[in-house]
């Protein structure tokens, strides 16, 4: 049996990388193709921007045979916090609120009737001075005397024909602009798409051709007059020339309708040679970049290694995790030039299997969410088409990444709201993938049976209270400093007791832990610590004898001070002993060992290795002990990550249930996480699971918050206050009764009231800018549909997004 320190009974030391808790990885890692997010060349990209959120997309698992190079070359433009960047295309510009269809149709009809009336009056000579502009620019001998005198010569008649054609064109243009015929065409014809658009344009073209050749529209005669004036009347002696002119007129009339009906695009589509839509509704294909050519290796002079990886990518022998892992490994190697050559040689020797994760795994056994390992994003849902969401975010995917989780995340929702399945598990899965790429370490804590992922997706699985657990937890966090161990342990034991000062409790523990470690070389086990806190005479006498024999006089003074303070008013030792008694149960026999042969897992390893750790708590049979351990793990995590010097790895703690785990000290620790490349994800059933004095500090300490459907108005009020207000424009309409002074007007008003039953009123509209809450408490409690959540995001750099209503697809 292998016992080299990487795998053993219940644990691993802080300076070793624990092996997998279950069966070791296979000798040949399975081939995992690229994620389905990577479109094949020529395929439509993932992200469209419908006006309404579509149904939950299937999990973005790799499609068999899908090329990784297409996934690698897909554009990921920088966007606002939380935008799913893979294959992102911006939505079309927001259209202003238009008039109603009824008003549009009535306006077009009135404009058309007005134009027909004006043209009839013109043609029948009822408009005075209609020929004056033409007579000002033509010879006077062409016209009869008087302002209304008609043409006298053939030249005058031809000039009048062209003049009428020009006026008709201006009248038609003005009628189209005033009647808004372009908007009418777009709404009722163009938006229906093909083939309706082409058929409607063809019908309009046929009707127009009929009117043109019947000379109901002044087109043919003005053209013939202009051609004759330029080329001479003798040109019409040739029938061929006449036919050519007629053909040109017919084509000129037909051309605008062909453009409007998109006949060329329709014919090309029927032939199978359609080009991408010019309106920008189709997303851009994968960018033709050289990302799959590994330019960073070629720039450094390792062309052979780049060729090897390029061949691995194009033949499908590399997964997306391999690409992310090798890119990260190369980025780290560039900071240490002495590591470049060994890494390049490993690539030449093993290809995509170089720089493997210590577990030997190259991917997770299965994925349940959509991931983009290159950016570290995991997609958790789609922004709803809701007025609360900005237009540019409606319909876009919402994703989480380390830059957001580094500010920590607080999720609040009742049981069954989907916190674990739709948020916690995707986050744990994404962090596990990032750990396989050597870029993160994750600690997931939940109750036994919580769906945080299969056992073979983690390197260390700790089942507290389960006799078959291969690992254990170090209560002291792997430290050798008694004061540091006492501070963290006191926070975990009595940090939720408001009547006790955790600093006094830490002092009591330090007065016992320091002497014990000086005498025995390690910290006490749970039963021994309980006896010391209870003040058992035999335990204290034995410890005193060991210290005297070893000559630890300073520690003897610590022990004497503890003996003097024991039993005094406000002594926290009894409360500490009661809390330690929760762990001194038969179910935990053999756990929390501290002897020289014990090797419990220490959270200190999270800051040194890209580990995937899961801790299962016995919530059903030992609920209070589980809460104590959760509080202890949170305190250890914040203390250890804040003290580490190498912050290359992103470390994240995920608590599936943080009930009674948050204390004043851990809130301060959570606030410090963003500066050390770490974060915490806390899930609560209600904000009341946290002491009331910590409601405001907790919401202020985390940068990302999520309010799930079903929360109470009390929780909604706290979120509404934390998210602040915004300026909005309001319109107030007041109706005032009109009082007429004239008898005739009063009679008309009386008649109108008799017919309609309502008095004559006028509307007074007041437009104001007011400051309102982004989401009110009532809206959060009653307007968030099932399967949705309102999520606010912020990055460690200070960027933030407004609270967004998101349909969670997990």
């Amino acid at each position: 049996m292998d016992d080299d320190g990487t795998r053993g009974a219940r644990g691993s030391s802080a300076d070793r990388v624990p092996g997998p808790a279950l069966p070791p990885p296979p000798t040949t890692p399975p081939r995992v193709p690229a994620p389905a997010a990577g479109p094949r060349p020529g395929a439509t990209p993932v992200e469209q921007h419908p006006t309404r959120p579509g149904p939950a997309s299937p999990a973005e698992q790799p499609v068999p045979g899908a090329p990784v190079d297409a996934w690698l070359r897909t554009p990921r433009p920088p966007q606002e916090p939380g935008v799913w960047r893979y294959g992102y295309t911006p939505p079309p510009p927001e259209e202003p609120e238009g008039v109603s269809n009824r008003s549009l149709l009535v306006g077009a009809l009135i404009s058309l009737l007005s134009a027909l009336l004006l043209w009839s009056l013109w043609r029948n000579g009822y408009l005075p001075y209609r020929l004056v502009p033409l007579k000002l620019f033509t010879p006077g001998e062409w016209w009869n005397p008087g302002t209304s005198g008609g043409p006298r010569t053939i030249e005058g008649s031809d000039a009048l024909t062209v003049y009428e054609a020009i006026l008709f064109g201006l009248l038609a243009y003005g009628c189209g602009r005033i009647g808004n015929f372009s908007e009418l065409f777009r709404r009722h014809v163009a938006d229906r798409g093909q083939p309706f658009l082409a058929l409607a344009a063809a019908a309009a073209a046929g009707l127009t051709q009929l009117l043109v050749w019947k000379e109901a529209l002044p087109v043919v005669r003005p053209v013939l007059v202009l051609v004759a004036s330029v080329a001479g009347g003798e040109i019409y002696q040739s029938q061929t020339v006449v036919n050519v002119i007629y053909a040109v007129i017919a084509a000129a009339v037909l051309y605008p309708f062909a453009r409007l009906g998109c006949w060329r695009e329709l014919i090309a589509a029927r032939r199978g040679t359609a080009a991408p839509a010019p309106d920008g509704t189709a997303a851009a294909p994968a960018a033709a970049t050289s990302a799959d050519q590994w330019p960073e290796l070629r720039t450094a002079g390792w062309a052979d290694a780049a060729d090897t990886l390029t061949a691995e990518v194009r033949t499908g022998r590399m997964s997306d995790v391999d690409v992310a892992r090798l890119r990260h490994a190369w980025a780290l190697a560039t900071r240490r030039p002495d590591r470049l050559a060994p890494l390049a040689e490993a690539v030449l020797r093993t290809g995509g299997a170089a720089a493997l994760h210590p577990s030997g795994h190259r991917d997770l056994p299965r994925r349940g969410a959509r991931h983009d390992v290159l950016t570290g994003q995991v997609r958790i849902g789609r922004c709803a088409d809701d007025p609360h969401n900005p237009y540019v975010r409606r319909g876009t995917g919402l994703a989480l990444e380390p830059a957001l989780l580094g500010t920590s995340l607080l999720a609040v929702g009742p049981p069954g709201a989907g916190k674990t399945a739709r948020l916690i598990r995707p986050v744990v899965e994404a962090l596990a993938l990032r750990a396989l790429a050597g870029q993160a370490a994750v600690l997931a804590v939940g109750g036994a049976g919580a769906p945080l992922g299969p056992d073979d997706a983690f390197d260390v699985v700790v089942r507290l209270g389960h006799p078959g657990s291969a690992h254990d937890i170090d209560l002291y966090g792997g430290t050798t400093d008694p004061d540091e161990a006492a501070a963290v342990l006191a926070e975990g034991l009595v940090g939720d007791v408001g009547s006790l000062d955790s600093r006094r409790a830490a002092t009591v523990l330090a007065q016992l832990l320091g002497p014990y470690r000086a005498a025995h070389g390690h910290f006490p086990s749970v039963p021994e610590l309980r006896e010391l806190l209870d003040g058992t005479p035999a335990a204290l006498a034995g410890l005193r004898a060991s210290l005297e024999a070893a000559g630890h006089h300073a520690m003897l003074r610590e022990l004497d001070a503890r003996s003097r303070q024991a039993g005094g008013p406000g002594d926290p030792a009894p409360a500490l002993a009661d809390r330690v008694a929760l762990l001194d149960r038969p179910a935990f026999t053999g756990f929390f060992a501290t002897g020289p042969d014990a090797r419990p897992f220490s959270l200190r390893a999270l800051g040194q290795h890209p580990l995937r750790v899961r801790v299962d708590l016995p919530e059903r049979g030992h609920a209070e002990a589980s809460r104590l351990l959760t509080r202890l793990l949170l305190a250890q995590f914040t203390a250890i990550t804040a003290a580490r010097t190498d912050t290359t790895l992103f470390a994240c703690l995920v608590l599936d249930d943080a009930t009674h785990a948050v204390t004043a000290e851990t809130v301060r620790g959570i606030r410090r996480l963003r500066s050390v490349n770490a974060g915490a994800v806390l899930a609560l059933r209600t904000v009341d699971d946290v002491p009331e004095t910590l409601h405001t500090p907790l919401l202020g300490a985390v940068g990302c918050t999520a309010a799930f459907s079903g929360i109470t108005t009390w929780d909604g009020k706290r979120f509404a206050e934390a998210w602040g207000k915004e300026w909005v424009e309001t319109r107030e309409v007041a109706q005032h009764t009109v009082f007429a002074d004239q008898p005739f007007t009063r009679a008309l008003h009386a008649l109108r009231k008799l017919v309609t039953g309502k008095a004559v009123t006028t509307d007074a509209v007041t437009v104001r800018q007011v400051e309102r809450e982004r989401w009110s408490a009532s809206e959060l409690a009653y307007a968030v549909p099932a399967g949705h959540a309102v999520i606010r995001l912020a990055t460690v750099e200070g960027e933030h997004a407004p609270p967004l209503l998101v349909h969670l697809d997990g």
Side-chain angles (χ1 to χ4, degrees), residues 480-483 486 506-524 529 532 539-563:
T480 58
D481 184 0
D483 293 328
T507 302
V508 171
L509 287 172
Q511 290 172 344
L512 295 174
L513 296 182
Y516 190 95
R517 178 171 179 79
H520 300 282
H522 58 82
F523 291 120
L529 180 60
L532 293 173
L540 292 176
L543 179 57
R544 182 181 299 276
S546 299
L547 291 174
E548 291 175 350
H552 295 291
H553 301 290
M555 293 303 171
L556 280 172
R557 289 194 299 269
E558 288 284 303
L559 193 59
D560 292 338
R562 172 84 290 268
S563 300

Side-chain angles (χ1 to χ4, degrees), residues 580-659:
V580 173
L582 296 173
L583 304 180
D584 190 16
R585 306 298 300 163
F588 300 117
T589 301
F591 286 85
F592 315 120
T594 59
D597 297 331
R599 293 189 299 169
F601 172 76
S602 171
L603 266 63
R604 201 168 295 274
L606 290 175
Q608 303 172 8
H609 309 290
L611 294 178
R612 301 167 295 165
V613 184
R614 193 188 77 206
V615 178
D616 294 344
L617 301 174
E619 289 184 344
R620 294 182 180 178
H622 304 274
E624 192 63 31
S626 298
R627 293 173 181 174
L628 186 153
L629 291 170
T630 302
R631 191 163 53 248
L632 177 61
L633 291 174
L634 177 58
Q636 285 186 0
F637 180 82
T638 55
I640 290 172
T641 53
R644 62 176 181 163
T645 56
D646 185 6
T647 60
T648 304
L649 283 177
F650 174 73
C652 188
L653 170 66
V654 181
L655 297 182
D656 185 46
D657 185 5
T659 303

